[in-house]
Amino acid sequence: MTVRIQVLGPVRAWRAGVEIDLGPAAQRAVLALLAVAGGQPLSRAELGDALWPGDRPASAANVIQTHVKRLRQLLEPDRPPRAASQILPRVGDGYALQMPADRLDLLRFRELVAAGNGAHRDGDHPRAAAVLGEALGLWARPMADVPLLDGHPKIAGLVGQRRTAALRYAESAIASRAAADALPHLEELASEDPLDEAVQAMLVRTLQAAGRRQQAFAVYRSVRRRLVDELGVDPGPTLAAAHAELLAEDARTATEPAVPVQATRVPAQLPPTVAHFIGRQAQLSELDDLLAHHHSAQAVVISAVAGTAGVGKTALAVHWAHRVADRFPDGQLYVNLRGYDPEHPMPAADALARFLAALGVPEREIPPELDERAARYRSELAGRRLLVLLDNASTVEQVRPLLPGRSSSAVLVTSRDSLGGLVAVDGAHRLHLDLLPPAEAYDLLRRLIGPRVDAEPAAAAMLADRCARLPLALRVAAELAAARGAASLADLAEELAERQRRLDVLDAGGDPRAAVATVFSWSLQQLPPDAARAFRLLGRHPGADADAYALAALADTDLARARAILGALARAHLVHATGAGRYGMHDLLRAYASQLAGDDAGAAGRLVDYYLGTAAVAMDRLYPAEAHRRPRVPQPRTPGPALPGADAARAWLDAERPTLVAIATHPATPPEHTVRLSTILFRYLDGGHYADALTVHGHAARVAERAGDRAGQGYALRGLGGAHMKMGRFRAATDHHERAVALFAAAGDPVGEAIALTGLGAVGQRTGSYGAAGDHHARAIALFQKAGDVAGEARALNNLAIIETLVGRHEAAVRHHEEAVALSQRAGDRSAEASALNNLGLVEQRLGRPHDAARHFAEALTLFRELGERSGQASVLDNLGFVSLRLDRPQEAARYFAQALTLFRELGEREGQAWVRNGLGEAALATGQPGEALDHHAAALAITADIGARDQQARAHAGLGRAHAAVGDLAEARRHYQEALTLYDDLESFEAAHVRAHLAALSSMIKASL
């Protein structure tokens, strides 16, 4: 049977997937020591020295032999009597552990470290980072449950290997532009030994490379202060050099960024370059010259590439951007602003939200207002070198918020307009793009059509002229010529000329856009009737792209035919691929198609029905317990994706989210459908898509108010309140929830009223209004019970129990959490069940039942991981850290807190970061590191003071009081204790009694010192 052994962390073993009880600590220590030896034998004397560091008893050899015998029985129960052990063979006067690397975590760790070190020496930094990162992912405190091995030289050697691996990993991660990936390992290492200057210097360098320069400065200042205070020395050369590099960058960028970048993400958003790009050498050279000047002057360059529709502005911009992409190591941003879409141009605020998300800003931290988003965007770009391509802009106002501040990033703008304001005010360089020269137009046709062009040069030149030498028209005409291989180019050119005369589209000035429309109409005539109709209808699709299901809805056809039509349109260059199975349209083609489509209410209705119905199915797959609350919508008459499970449902929602937002806010969408879509998507958007939630729910609230739909407005306001609460904007959250409560009451919707009351109570909990929050939850419970809404009752009970915990009514909290678990299971709401289990564990640990608490946390963590809810996982990890502190395992607690902090940072949950920072401070103080505790609690205090989370603010003050007392600063300790006591008294929290005890003890210390 397969045996697997773990010694990183607690010593554990599994046989055939079932964990083995390895017996007492000394027996586990024998197995661990043999594992550390890496297959080399250890004598009984060596084992005895480790087990009995002082005088070995006379029976030591027999005891060791007994341990080995029992281990063999556990690991190889089917081994015949007297047969040699394959896992623990005897070697000389000792034993060895024979295990392959894939079944012993320590061997795997060493194997990966060796491979990573080799790649690092060879300069293959991406591979080194990948391999060393995998190795460090296996790391945990060796033999954590065998205290008698603490301090053993072999364990110290392992810790040294991990330190070296972490330093090399950071070097390779920096070289690979993935510095942020190394930070969790370095931060953990630095917290374990705050005076290790090499580690602290590498942490400073890595933070700098990750764009988190303010934090890098803070780390250096903290280490320097500790070195001076504790050792009486200044930083050594390694740490001083890291600080000098930081100062040098500071001089280059003039100031530290106002908002530190939390993660290094390298966006690569450029569309594929156009095939058979021809000519434009003068313009490409001009752009190259501008870029060279830009880097020497460290100034923003905006090249407003202007020209008529179809002249190739986007093709030129994208082609050049790909040529110079390697000069922008921090990535490329791209957005199609759709400035000439008469119905749905992209607002600058939406473009900023997309850019901020691409730059690594969590959605919770994307501000709601345009000016705030623009300021955050400029801060994120500070110190970075990115290329920003703003395509199809219509006005200066659409572009200006998307320009960086003083930055090394470059901006390229395409527009049909000359954008004179950018030139006059923002220092843009205008680059005008004219029609292709005759020779280049001829060359493009040769590449697209082939030898027929050289066989009929005069006809090819005439065809180019008929297309007004516009690249878009040339490509469409060339595809038609290729499809009609039997026709001569002369015949095709004459046919096009006849169509131009018949349609009478050329005006006296020879507008080149008229030629494009003529070529489009000519190409469209060659399509089957249903494909031509589908092309016209696609012009009315509000999203940036569409798939076969959307086209099937528009055209009222089956899926197979929709796919065939998209293929035909792509071959005719009337649509272009944007991703797997998805297609978009050039803005000129979209305008042409929309003009031909007219007002087809049936097609628009089918499309909205498709998206509404499929969204409802997806939400029912993801959140079945709340299906009864969502508005019922009819099954769409056209086909939709199967969405067999939660993963497929989430993938569809993620892919279609931009289109769903576009439909919810489109002027042609009926108000009732906008409100329904807002209500249907609430739980999905509330899971982290806050910028979109504000857009969708805000629009729904306005249209519902105009329509007099009180309940619909209430649900939209509930959505807005939830988004604001998650983003730490508690005043706005309170206002929206209060308005929702009043609207639901007026509309006679008790379930809606209960939902809004639950949201209002959740905000009250976070702002410390425990009494009012408890009242809100109690009212919600009564309304849910009356309506028979079991899922709602479970969530409200869970929230009420949290309030009871915070005010010290722990036994009542346990009863309500247990009832919430049972109700959640009955309703099939696994997310609510996980939340209730997590909170139940929190109460159990406050009641002094840490093992029960740990069991509930483990159950909750399993559920949250299965559901993919990272916020819930982070909360459980924070609670596991708390219970580890109560079990006097502060180092284990710190590891849990570090994992939780990583998740909360990724999610942008600032309140969660405050919880964990307070926990890390408490863990640091428990391990004798009051300086680290001061840093963590101060960080928590800064967050909580900003967002108004008063309970964690009080906890931060209490932690600062304990840390200041530990370093002998009794006056500061008393000040923070008094601040904490004021807050806890105001909150009516049971924690006030603990702080009073600390204050009394502190007073005694002060009297004794006088």
Side-chain angles (χ1 to χ4, degrees):
M1 286 189 179
T2 301
V3 172
R4 185 165 60 86
I5 297 175
Q6 166 193 298
V7 295
L8 294 176
V11 180
R12 303 170 70 185
W14 294 262
R15 188 179 63 249
V18 179
E19 186 165 2
I20 305 166
D21 184 354
L22 291 172
Q27 192 163 291
R28 298 197 305 277
V30 169
L31 182 63
L33 287 166
L34 292 171
V36 174
Q40 298 300 312
L42 290 180
S43 67
R44 293 180 187 176
E46 290 173 301
L47 291 168
D49 289 340
L51 296 178
W52 296 279
D55 293 332
R56 266 185 287 158
S59 59
N62 290 336
V63 172
I64 291 170
Q65 184 177 3
T66 300
H67 286 325
V68 172
K69 178 181 178 182
R70 289 175 178 165
L71 286 168
R72 286 170 173 167
Q73 291 170 345
L74 292 169
L75 299 173
E76 302 171 284
D78 301 325
R79 181 171 56 89
R82 296 190 175 83
S85 171
Q86 299 298 310
I87 296 178
L88 286 170
R90 180 163 182 170
V91 181
D93 185 31
Y95 308 93
L97 177 64
Q98 302 293 331
M99 293 287 289
D102 63 343
R103 284 190 265 154
L104 176 57
D105 61 349
L106 180 56
L107 286 182
R108 178 61 178 158
F109 171 78
R110 286 171 165 166
E111 182 179 86
L112 289 167
V113 167
N117 289 341
H120 182 273
R121 285 192 300 270
D122 295 337
D124 187 353
H125 291 295
R127 171 163 171 72
V131 175
L132 290 171
E134 184 180 352
L136 292 167
L138 297 174
W139 179 264
R141 177 189 164 199
M143 303 87 189
D145 60 342
V146 188
L148 62 89
L149 292 181
D150 286 350
H152 190 279
K154 291 187 180 295
I155 310 302
L158 280 179
V159 173
Q161 290 176 29
R162 176 258 192 144
R163 175 184 179 276
T164 302
L167 292 174
R168 286 179 176 164
Y169 174 45
E171 290 176 357
S172 289
I174 291 171
S176 305
R177 296 201 293 273
D181 294 343
L183 284 173
H185 300 291
L186 276 180
E187 288 173 336
E188 184 176 354
L189 203 60
S191 69
E192 291 170 2
D193 191 352
L195 297 178
D196 186 332
E197 290 192 54
V199 172
Q200 301 292 347
M202 184 58 72
L203 178 56
V204 169
R205 289 181 55 210
T206 309
L207 286 166
Q208 178 187 6
R212 293 160 61 173
R213 294 172 48 247
Q214 285 185 333
Q215 193 173 348
F217 275 110
V219 168
Y220 172 79
R221 288 192 291 264
S222 175
V223 178
R224 183 182 182 280
R225 184 178 67 247
R226 190 175 289 109
L227 287 168
V228 172
D229 292 347
E230 298 183 23
L231 302 181
V233 298
D234 287 322
T238 303
L239 187 56
H243 185 231
E245 293 173 15
L246 198 56
L247 290 173
E249 182 182 349
D250 193 47
R252 287 193 299 272
T253 57
T255 182
E256 293 179 40
V259 181
V261 179
Q262 294 196 359
T264 296
R265 183 177 295 183
V266 181
Q269 296 186 328
L270 293 178
T273 190
V274 65
H276 304 300
F277 184 85
I278 291 293
R280 305 298 195 192
Q281 290 306 311
Q283 289 83 6
L284 291 170
S285 297
E286 190 173 347
L287 289 170
D288 287 340
D289 291 342
L290 285 168
L291 183 59
H293 173 72
H294 155 64
H295 280 303
S296 64
Q298 290 292 301
V300 176
V301 168
I302 311 158
S303 180
V305 180
T308 190
V311 80
K313 299 181 298 297
T314 299
L316 170 69
V318 171
H319 180 76
W320 179 78
H322 277 285
R323 284 201 339 174
V324 300
D326 61 343
R327 301 195 203 177
F328 297 92
D330 295 314
Q332 310 89 41
L333 296 171
Y334 170 86
V335 65
N336 181 357
L337 293 171
R338 298 175 64 175
Y340 298 93
D341 184 326
E343 293 184 333
H344 219 62
M346 179 177 289
D350 290 358
L352 284 167
R354 295 187 183 193
F355 279 175
L356 288 170
L359 291 168
V361 177
E363 288 208 37
R364 283 177 174 82
E365 294 188 13
I366 295 176
E369 303 299 331
L370 172 63
D371 290 346
E372 293 175 351
R373 286 184 182 179
R376 181 66 187 269
Y377 169 69
R378 292 191 294 271
S379 296
E380 292 294 330
L381 288 189
R384 295 193 189 187
R385 289 171 55 198
L386 287 100
L387 177 62
V388 183
L389 176 48
L390 309 176
D391 197 14
N392 282 318
S394 60
T395 65
V396 171
E397 290 70 25
Q398 197 180 22
V399 171
R400 189 165 282 139
L402 304 174
L403 303 180
R406 186 183 184 279
S407 169
S408 55
S409 296
V411 183
L412 192 60
V413 184
T414 75
S415 177
R416 297 182 205 170
D417 190 90
S418 62
L419 300 179
L422 285 184
V423 177
V425 178
D426 300 281
H429 175 91
R430 184 184 296 124
L431 188 154
H432 183 73
L433 206 60
D434 208 340
L435 307 178
L436 280 175
E440 291 182 3
Y442 184 89
D443 194 19
L444 179 57
L445 284 177
R446 181 194 290 116
R447 291 201 189 184
L448 294 171
I449 299 174
R452 292 163 63 194
V453 170
D454 290 330
E456 297 183 75
M462 184 186 301
L463 185 61
D465 286 339
R466 299 298 184 203
C467 293
R469 303 198 310 278
L470 287 169
L472 180 61
L474 287 165
R475 290 178 183 277
V476 175
E479 178 57 36
L480 186 60
R484 296 171 61 183
S488 69
L489 294 185
D491 290 342
L492 292 174
E494 182 55 37
E495 184 180 332
L496 178 57
E498 174 60 29
R499 171 163 287 274
Q500 287 176 328
R501 286 189 292 270
R502 188 166 65 250
L503 295 178
D504 193 25
V505 294
L506 287 176
D507 62 13
D511 182 357
R513 283 175 291 187
V516 178
T518 303
V519 175
F520 290 167
S521 69
W522 184 40
S523 181
L524 205 60
Q525 190 182 34
Q526 315 306 315
L527 293 172
D530 63 343
R533 175 173 174 266
F535 168 77
R536 295 192 294 270
L537 292 174
L538 275 173
R540 310 300 280 176
H541 190 286
D545 57 9
D547 63 3
Y549 292 103
L551 180 60
L554 277 168
D556 198 14
T557 189
D558 59 65
L559 188 61
R561 185 57 193 153
R563 287 174 173 153
I565 288 172
L566 283 171
L569 294 177
R571 288 190 296 275
H573 289 277
L574 296 174
V575 298
H576 59 270
T578 59
R582 303 188 71 84
Y583 296 86
M585 301 177 80
H586 187 283
D587 63 331
L588 198 56
L589 279 162
R590 181 185 292 273
Y592 176 71
S594 179
Q595 181 183 4
L596 295 178
D599 293 325
D600 190 332
R606 288 191 302 273
L607 185 70
V608 174
D609 287 346
Y610 159 68
Y611 280 112
L612 198 63
T614 310
V617 171
M619 292 300 293
D620 286 351
R621 296 282 189 275
L622 278 174
Y623 304 100
E626 295 178 343
H628 63 287
R629 291 199 204 133
R630 289 187 284 272
R632 293 296 89 193
V633 295
Q635 191 72 18
R637 55 186 277 183
T638 56
L643 307 183
D647 290 343
R650 188 175 294 280
W652 185 86
L653 288 166
D654 290 342
E656 297 291 358
R657 178 158 50 93
T659 300
L660 292 168
V661 174
I663 284 181
T665 58
H666 198 274
T669 301
E672 63 272 17
H673 286 340
T674 295
V675 174
R676 286 176 179 174
L677 197 55
S678 164
T679 307
I680 287 169
L681 293 175
F682 163 72
R683 186 65 65 188
Y684 168 70
L685 295 176
D686 192 58
H689 305 298
Y690 303 119
D692 287 337
L694 294 177
T695 300
V696 171
H697 300 317
H699 190 74
R702 290 188 292 273
V703 300
E705 184 177 18
R706 287 196 295 268
D709 180 359
R710 290 176 174 173
Q713 187 183 357
Y715 280 108
L717 289 172
R718 178 275 307 257
L720 285 170
H724 281 294
M725 184 182 74
K726 294 291 182 66
M727 298 170 83
R729 300 181 184 124
F730 297 137
R731 287 186 182 178
T734 299
D735 177 61
H736 288 308
H737 280 116
E738 286 177 343
R739 291 171 60 198
V741 169
L743 284 163
F744 283 127
D749 185 340
V751 171
E753 186 179 355
I755 292 169
L757 284 167
T758 301
L760 196 55
V763 181
Q765 173 208 324
R766 285 160 172 78
T767 56
S769 302
Y770 297 155
D775 291 343
H776 294 318
H777 292 314
R779 287 174 59 196
I781 290 168
L783 288 168
F784 280 130
Q785 288 175 336
K786 188 174 181 180
D789 191 318
V790 177
E793 182 185 354
R795 287 184 178 268
L797 263 174
N798 184 41
N799 287 331
L800 177 61
I802 293 172
I803 300 298
E804 290 169 332
T805 301
L806 291 170
V807 298
R809 294 196 292 266
H810 295 133
E811 294 296 348
V814 168
R815 289 195 303 274
H816 283 136
H817 279 315
E818 288 176 341
E819 189 176 353
V821 170
L823 288 172
S824 300
Q825 290 172 340
R826 181 173 141 202
D829 192 339
R830 299 173 72 218
S831 176
E833 180 186 355
S835 180
L837 285 167
N838 183 30
N839 291 317
L840 178 57
L842 196 59
V843 187
E844 294 281 14
Q845 74 181 20
R846 290 182 185 272
L847 286 169
R849 302 195 283 257
H851 297 291
D852 289 338
R855 177 170 54 84
H856 292 310
F857 291 146
E859 293 171 355
L861 189 60
T862 298
L863 280 171
F864 278 132
R865 282 175 172 163
E866 289 175 357
L867 293 167
E869 292 190 12
R870 294 194 300 157
S871 180
Q873 294 173 47
S875 177
V876 176
L877 289 166
D878 175 55
N879 288 338
L880 283 167
F882 198 73
V883 81
S884 296
L885 280 176
R886 296 300 175 266
L887 291 170
D888 198 24
R889 290 186 272 207
Q891 291 177 332
E892 177 183 282
R895 285 197 295 275
Y896 282 128
F897 288 136
Q899 293 175 55
L901 184 60
T902 298
L903 283 171
F904 278 132
R905 278 175 172 164
E906 290 174 355
L907 292 164
E909 285 198 16
R910 300 185 69 203
E911 187 185 11
Q913 292 175 44
W915 298 343
V916 175
R917 283 290 204 169
N918 276 325
L920 284 166
E922 290 156 6
L925 190 62
T927 55
Q929 301 175 84
E932 289 293 317
L934 286 170
D935 290 343
H936 287 303
H937 287 305
L941 186 61
I943 295 171
T944 55
D946 184 40
I947 67 175
R950 297 170 69 215
D951 57 342
Q952 290 301 310
Q953 189 175 351
R955 184 182 171 194
H957 276 300
L960 286 167
R962 289 190 294 271
H964 278 296
V967 298
D969 192 343
L970 304 186
E972 273 296 288
R974 179 161 58 184
R975 182 177 72 82
H976 283 293
Y977 279 141
Q978 287 171 339
E979 292 279 0
L981 184 59
T982 299
L983 284 164
Y984 279 135
D985 276 340
D986 189 42
L987 296 171
E988 298 181 1
S989 171
F990 75 99
E991 295 284 1
H994 295 302
V995 177
R996 283 197 182 88
H998 284 300
L999 266 172
L1002 187 65
S1003 298
S1004 300
M1005 291 172 63
I1006 293 172
K1007 288 178 183 177
S1009 67
L1010 294 177

